């Protein structure tokens, strides 16, 4: 049976089609999910894609978090379903309190778009098991509000529990505390990532194909489950 | 109609790069003597019914769960009195 990975489209999502494509290239079946539909259509995992859902009104991800589909995503994530939030999806996960902290405006105030080097710090989450801990990858990064913040206690907890999934290398593009590019929940099934692995899955369009590992990881996780 | 105002501000320990940019612009425009600027949001809620304790409790709940992200923001709720009389 083919593994089904849902990709949610909110009004204002931009990278849903690229995320679907990455899912397909990894060998799974992408399933388009709609923000107003509570039904997850028997998917095994969900990707919340990048973009500007609801125009980023109020705060990035603040309105999407209350969309009907998120009720079910939050419920299933708590039961262990793998969920990956990329960029705007990461913001939605923080607003949903599935992940701690928040994403605020880049310290430079500029929208940043660049190929970014990352170090995978935790290669045991549902979305990173195809990497090795310490592996360096380059994927595109593009955000205006990507600066990860949390209070000192939460940051220490994330570090102590190995829940920092990826860190910026060479340059911290947005002022994120402790160079954090991505984090996971305690169970390792929910991952939020500010850079865009779904844009680095094919040599024609990506700087590398090193983003594909996020999508093959979840496939392996589900097949072995 | 009664108006309730919810002010949302970034917590003091959270860097406010927008406020800093405004502060840096002020002296260039000839507005001297401003030591710090923090930028926030103001929501004006027009109530259909009376502003009683129950209504204010609901607004505080809305502020806590939706209008503000209490991980990074603080909020205040105040009644602005009846307008237009």
């Amino acid at each position: 049976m083919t593994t089904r990975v849902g990709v949610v489209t909110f009004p204002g999502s931009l990278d849903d089609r690229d995320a679907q494509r990455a899912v397909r290239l990894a060998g799974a079946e992408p399933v388009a999910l709609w923000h107003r539909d509570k039904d997850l259509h028997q998917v095994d995992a969900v990707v919340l894609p990048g973009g500007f859902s609801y125009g980023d009104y109020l705060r990035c991800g603040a309105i999407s978090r209350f969309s009907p589909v998120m009720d079910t995503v939050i419920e299933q994530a708590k039961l262990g379903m793998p969920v990956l939030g990329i960029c705007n999806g990461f913001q939605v996960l923080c607003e949903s309190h599935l992940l701690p902290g928040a994403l605020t405006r880049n310290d430079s105030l500029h929208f940043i778009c660049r190929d970014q080097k990352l170090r995978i710090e935790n290669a045991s989450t549902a979305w990173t098991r195809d990497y090795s801990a310490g592996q360096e990858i380059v994927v595109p990064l593009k955000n205006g509000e990507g600066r990860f913040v949390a209070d000192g206690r939460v940051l220490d907890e994330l570090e102590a529990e190995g829940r920092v999934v990826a860190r910026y290398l060479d340059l911290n593009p947005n002022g994120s505390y402790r160079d954090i590019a991505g984090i996971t929940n305690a169970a390792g099934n929910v991952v939020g990532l500010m850079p865009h692995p779904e844009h680095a899955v094919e040599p024609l369009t990506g700087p590398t194909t090193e983003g594909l590992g996020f999508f093959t990881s979840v496939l392996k996780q589900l097949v072995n489950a | 109609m009664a108006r309730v105002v919810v002010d949302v501000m970034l917590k003091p320990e959270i860097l406010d790069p927008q406020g800093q940019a405004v502060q840096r612009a002020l002296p260039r425009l000839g507005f001297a003597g401003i030591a710090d600027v923090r930028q926030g949001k103001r929501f004006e809620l027009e109530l259909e019914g009376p502003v009683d304790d129950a209504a204010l409790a609901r607004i505080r709940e809305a502020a806590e769960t939706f209008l503000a992200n209490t991980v990074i923001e603080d909020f205040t709720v105040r009644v602005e009195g009846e307008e237009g009389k």
Side-chain angles (χ1 to χ4, degrees):
Chain A
M1 204 186 80
T2 321
T3 304
R4 291 162 61 85
V5 178
V7 178
V8 176
T9 299
F10 299 100
S13 291
L14 294 178
D15 301 323
D16 42 341
R17 298 297 288 271
D18 275 27
Q20 288 175 22
R21 188 172 176 78
V23 165
R24 191 178 310 112
L25 288 167
E29 181 189 348
V31 178
L33 301 176
W34 183 236
H35 68 113
R36 278 167 65 182
D37 188 356
K38 283 180 97 78
D39 188 351
L40 296 187
H41 302 277
Q42 294 90 46
V43 297
D44 305 294
V46 166
V47 177
L48 304 177
F52 300 86
S53 59
Y54 294 90
D56 276 352
Y57 293 166
L58 187 58
R59 292 178 307 278
C60 306
I63 298 177
S64 324
R65 173 251 179 281
F66 290 101
S67 62
V69 74
M70 282 308 297
D71 286 344
T72 320
V73 169
I74 291 168
E75 179 189 298
Q76 292 300 312
K78 286 178 176 164
L79 295 173
M81 184 182 72
V83 178
L84 173 65
I86 302 167
C87 192
N88 189 218
F90 187 7
Q91 295 162 339
V92 174
L93 290 176
C94 287
E95 284 284 343
S96 307
H97 305 300
L98 284 173
L99 294 175
L103 293 141
T104 60
R105 192 164 299 262
N106 297 346
D107 57 355
S108 65
L109 285 174
H110 293 288
F111 188 96
I112 309 287
C113 183
R114 67 193 302 271
D115 295 335
Q116 175 71 44
K117 194 191 271 187
L118 306 174
R119 185 172 56 234
I120 304 293
E121 301 278 18
N122 177 341
S124 59
T125 75
W127 299 92
T128 53
R129 48 186 296 163
D130 259 357
Y131 296 99
S132 47
Q135 186 176 342
E136 297 180 4
I137 65 171
V138 174
V139 301
L141 170 106
K142 45 173 192 157
N143 67 69
E145 304 192 37
R147 178 169 175 267
F148 181 76
V149 300
D151 66 38
R153 188 184 51 78
V154 169
L155 291 169
D156 288 342
E157 199 175 288
L158 288 172
E159 303 268 13
E161 294 173 5
R163 288 167 56 194
V164 175
V165 170
R167 237 185 272 268
Y168 299 117
L169 283 188
D170 297 345
L171 172 152
N172 181 335
N174 46 31
S176 287
Y177 287 2
R178 304 195 191 179
D179 301 335
I180 288 173
I183 58 170
T184 182
N185 64 346
N189 64 305
V190 179
V191 169
L193 190 69
M194 191 40 62
H196 289 264
E198 81 283 17
H199 295 330
V201 295
E202 281 179 304
L204 179 66
T205 51
T208 68
T209 56
E210 293 166 347
L212 194 60
F214 281 86
F215 303 93
T216 53
S217 291
V218 75
L219 209 64
K220 209 166 277 180
Q221 163 93 8
L222 292 165
V223 169
N224 293 343
Chain B
M1 205 183 273
R3 173 180 287 179
V4 177
V5 175
V6 180
D7 284 314
V8 176
M9 293 298 294
L10 279 175
K11 291 186 177 192
E13 66 270 25
I14 302 288
L15 176 74
D16 176 13
Q18 293 180 102
Q20 286 180 346
V22 172
Q23 191 204 345
R24 282 196 299 270
L26 286 167
R28 285 205 302 273
L29 301 171
F31 301 103
I34 295 164
D36 192 25
V37 176
R38 306 280 292 172
Q39 181 177 322
K41 295 187 190 111
R42 171 187 163 112
F43 298 89
E44 299 180 343
L45 312 181
E46 307 289 344
L47 298 203
E48 286 174 349
V51 188
D52 51 20
D53 287 350
L56 282 174
R58 287 294 287 163
I59 288 169
R60 279 198 197 91
E61 194 185 334
E64 172 106 38
T65 54
F66 186 47
L67 299 180
N69 176 352
T70 53
V71 174
I72 49 168
E73 293 168 328
D74 294 323
F75 67 87
T76 58
V77 175
R78 67 173 195 275
V79 184
E80 207 171 64
E82 302 208 342
E83 301 283 317
K85 285 194 176 169

